[in-house]
Amino acid sequence: AQTVTQSQPEMSVQEAETVTLSCTYDTSESDYYLFWYKQPPSRQMILVIRQEAYKQQNATENRFSVNFQKAAKSFSLKISDSQLGDAAMYFCAYRSAYNNDMRFGAGTRLTVKP
Amino acid sequence: GAVVSQHPSWVICKSGTSVKIECRSLDFQATTMFWYRQFPKQSLMLMATSNEGSKATYEQGVEKDKFLINHASLTLSTLTVTSAHPEDSSFYICSAAEPHHRGGETQYFGPGTRLLVL
């Protein structure tokens, strides 16, 4: 079974600075998808960024980018120019290309200091 | 982006009653919807996968007679918590899969339903 590990329960960043959230996963599959979701205090899960495993190019969405290292099974999220509104729980997720299973990491709580 | 609604947003009920939660994809057709449960300060745990027109697939340890799922159309799935007990109190989240190119579906989440059973 696939597992997703987020080793940082909490992270803190100064407003306007850059922060990187770590995520590793374990799988024997060759084709899959990786996601970062944000869950603010409202508890609404919001898709931040998505990466297809077959793509070598790292996905980017405005201030959010990933460092996808397939061989190392690592999928970190970089948030540039951090804003107060970025404060939330961030979940890394793995989805198999062969079924609908999506597995979430335990989450990282990000605090942004003004 | 794709929008998923969930209703109600919160519900308080007496022990022994049944509660129905609706999940709707508002601007896309979702062949597959998912139901998750989230305990405080924990991650999301998949309860079941719901496919339109067929029976739901339940994760190990989830009682299918307790958590009834119906996926009547491509935009609506319902979760009914039958004979609810205090231990069923939790935050329930649904998601709907929007087909992506190359068959990779992205899940979009509803705002969640907070259930409190007294």
Side-chain angles (χ1 to χ4, degrees), chain A residues 50-69:
Chain A
R50 160 200 168 106
Q51 173 83 43
E52 291 90 341
Y54 67 89
K55 287 187 177 178
Q56 293 186 341
Q57 187 174 7
N58 289 325
T60 62
E61 285 289 340
N62 301 313
R63 297 182 296 107
F64 299 88
S65 62
V66 298
N67 184 3
F68 173 47
Q69 300 290 326

Side-chain angles (χ1 to χ4, degrees), chain A residues 40-96:
Chain A
S42 68
R43 303 190 78 173
Q44 167 77 62
M45 293 285 283
I46 301 167
L47 176 67
V48 175
I49 201 164
R50 160 200 168 106
Q51 173 83 43
E52 291 90 341
Y54 67 89
K55 287 187 177 178
Q56 293 186 341
Q57 187 174 7
N58 289 325
T60 62
E61 285 289 340
N62 301 313
R63 297 182 296 107
F64 299 88
S65 62
V66 298
N67 184 3
F68 173 47
Q69 300 290 326
K70 191 171 184 179
K73 297 179 183 175
S74 171
F75 183 61
S76 61
L77 174 69
K78 185 171 82 171
I79 306 174
S80 304
D81 186 25
S82 297
Q83 300 176 359
L84 295 177
D86 294 334
M89 279 290 286
Y90 285 81
F91 292 100
C92 177
Y94 169 104
R95 181 186 164 273
S96 170

Side-chain angles (χ1 to χ4, degrees), chain A residues 31 33 35 37 39 42-45 47 50 52 54-55 91 95 100-106 109, chain B residues 32 34 36 38 42-44 46 59 91 93 100-111 114:
Chain A
D31 201 6
Y33 304 87
F35 305 84
Y37 283 91
Q39 188 179 42
S42 68
R43 303 190 78 173
Q44 167 77 62
M45 293 285 283
L47 176 67
R50 160 200 168 106
E52 291 90 341
Y54 67 89
K55 287 187 177 178
F91 292 100
R95 181 186 164 273
N100 289 316
D101 266 9
M102 184 124 98
R103 303 295 166 180
F104 288 85
R109 181 172 301 281
Chain B
T32 308
F34 305 84
Y36 294 86
Q38 187 179 31
Q42 293 190 23
S43 188
L44 280 70
L46 180 65
E59 293 296 299
F91 191 65
I93 309 176
H100 199 267
H101 69 277
R102 200 178 175 270
E105 298 174 336
T106 294
Q107 291 187 28
Y108 293 93
F109 287 81
R114 190 179 304 276

Side-chain angles (χ1 to χ4, degrees), chain A residues 1-58:
Chain A
Q2 295 80 23
T3 58
V4 179
T5 303
Q6 292 179 251
S7 58
Q8 307 154 317
E10 296 184 355
M11 288 285 284
S12 177
V13 64
Q14 203 72 34
E15 192 177 7
E17 297 293 310
T18 296
V19 65
T20 298
L21 308 183
S22 301
C23 174
T24 58
Y25 57 95
D26 185 26
T27 185
S28 59
E29 298 176 336
S30 59
D31 201 6
Y32 49 87
Y33 304 87
L34 297 165
F35 305 84
W36 278 98
Y37 283 91
K38 167 185 176 181
Q39 188 179 42
S42 68
R43 303 190 78 173
Q44 167 77 62
M45 293 285 283
I46 301 167
L47 176 67
V48 175
I49 201 164
R50 160 200 168 106
Q51 173 83 43
E52 291 90 341
Y54 67 89
K55 287 187 177 178
Q56 293 186 341
Q57 187 174 7
N58 289 325

Side-chain angles (χ1 to χ4, degrees), chain B residues 76-99:
Chain B
L76 173 64
S77 176
T78 60
L79 167 68
T80 301
V81 183
T82 61
S83 187
H85 290 283
E87 58 265 30
D88 298 325
S89 299
S90 190
F91 191 65
Y92 293 88
I93 309 176
C94 75
S95 72
E98 181 188 34

